[in-house]
Amino acid sequence: MKIIKLDTVESTNEYAKKIASKCENFTIILAKKQRSGRGRLNRKWESPEGGLWISVILKPNFFSSLLSLDTGLAVLKTLKIFGIDSKLKWPNDLLVSEKKICGILLEKSSENVIIGIGLNVNISKMNTENWTSMLMESKKRFNLEEVLDVLINNIKHYYNLYEKKEFSKITEEWKQNSCTLGKNVIVETIPETLSGKAIDIDENGFLILDNGKKINAGDVVHLR
Ligand code: BT5
C-alpha cells in the first residue's frame, strides 16, 4: 500500500484516474483540500480543509457495484470506532440523523477502480445543505491521520471480503445498518423516476422495491 499526500488538488478522483495505470493496487491519494471535488453526475463536493478527501486505486479481479456498498461499511465502522453512529443510505451515503456525513464515488477507469471517499471530519462551516461532520456530532476535533489509519484498515478488511466473494456477509451487514430499507422512496434514475417501498438489496448491491423493480444506480429520496 502506498499513500500519496497532496496539499491542494482539483479532485483526488481525477488525479487518481490519471496515474492509476502506473500505480500498484491499493494506492491512496489524500488531499488537504480539493478545488473542485466531485460527487456523482459531476455534482459539486464541498472539500474545505479539515475533511478526509481520499481516492483509493484498486485493481480488483472482478467488478461489481457492491464495492460502493462495501466501502460504506468501512466508513460506518470507522465512525463507530470514533463514537459516531451512522446509517447507510443506498447507494453511497452515510447519514447521521438523516444528515450526510460522508459520500462515496465509485468510478471505473479501464482495469482500475477508483473509490473516492469524502468524510466530513473537523468541519463546522460549509456551503451546502443537510450535512454534518464528526466535529459537529461529537463536539470534538479528531486527528486526521488517526481517522485515516482506522479507515484504511477497515477498507482493507471489507475489500478482502469482496475479493473473497463473501457477498452475503457484505449485504447482510449493509442491510442491518441501512436507513433506506423499509422506507417508501422515490428513486431518480437516468431514464425514469421510480417509487415504492425499498425492501432489499441483491448481491450486486442493486436496490429492490416492493413492486419488483431492481435499480442499479440512482438518487433516493426517503419519504417515511
Ligand atoms: C457523493 O456524491 O456523495 C460522492 C462524494 C465523493 C467525494 C469524494 S472526496 C474524494 C474524492 N474526490 C472527488 O472529487 N470526489 C471524491 P452525490 O451522491 O452526488 O452527492 C453530492 C451532493 O452532496 C451535492 O450535490 C450536495 O448536495 C451534497 N454535498 C456536497 N458536499 C458535501 C459535503 N462535504 N458533505 C455533505 N454533503 C455534501
Side-chain angles (χ1 to χ4, degrees), residues 30-208:
L30 165 77
K32 276 194 189 153
K33 274 199 271 180
Q34 297 184 112
R35 273 191 223 102
S36 38
R38 282 190 305 105
R40 293 174 302 154
L41 305 172
N42 259 330
R43 287 186 281 235
K44 186 172 185 307
W45 182 258
E46 294 285 325
S47 325
E49 203 161 339
L52 209 49
W53 321 124
I54 69 169
S55 295
V56 187
I57 300 170
L58 296 173
K59 312 203 169 221
N61 296 323
F62 61 96
F63 179 77
S64 157
S65 43
L66 188 62
L67 202 42
S68 176
L69 279 65
D70 190 52
T71 307
L73 285 171
V75 180
L76 179 102
K77 191 163 175 199
T78 304
L79 286 168
K80 207 176 190 86
I81 289 172
F82 288 99
I84 295 167
D85 280 326
S86 60
K87 290 277 179 201
L88 295 156
K89 180 184 176 198
W90 189 88
N92 69 328
D93 292 348
L94 281 104
L95 307 183
V96 178
S97 313
E98 287 287 319
K99 289 187 205 135
K100 187 154 164 170
I101 193 163
C102 173
I104 294 165
L105 177 65
L106 182 70
E107 295 188 295
K108 257 189 98 181
S109 166
S110 59
E111 79 282 16
N112 305 294
V113 172
I114 318 285
I115 306 183
I117 302 172
L119 177 59
N120 300 331
V121 184
N122 299 320
I123 297 182
S124 56
K125 231 178 97 189
M126 221 166 22
N127 203 10
T128 184
E129 282 172 12
N130 214 24
W131 62 278
T132 189
S133 67
M134 292 174 69
L135 170 66
M136 284 165 70
E137 292 304 321
S138 63
K139 316 276 179 283
K140 271 196 311 212
R141 298 187 82 79
F142 295 85
N143 180 317
L144 282 176
E145 295 277 333
E146 256 176 52
V147 180
L148 178 66
D149 276 358
V150 173
L151 179 60
I152 290 172
N153 277 333
N154 288 330
I155 295 172
K156 278 187 188 153
H157 168 79
Y158 285 100
Y159 184 56
N160 196 28
L161 287 185
Y162 172 89
E163 285 278 68
K164 289 197 310 212
K165 301 197 172 167
E166 304 251 26
F167 302 140
S168 61
K169 271 199 184 149
I170 298 170
T171 53
E172 282 312 310
E173 195 173 338
W174 195 92
K175 286 189 229 177
Q176 280 163 21
N177 290 287
S178 162
C179 57
T180 298
L181 298 186
K183 285 208 175 86
N184 287 315
V185 294
I186 296 173
V187 192
E188 302 263 4
T189 70
I190 297 284
E192 56 184 342
T193 300
L194 301 164
S195 61
K197 186 171 182 176
I199 54 167
D200 207 355
I201 52 162
D202 71 7
E203 65 167 30
N204 299 305
F206 291 8
L207 184 67
I208 303 171

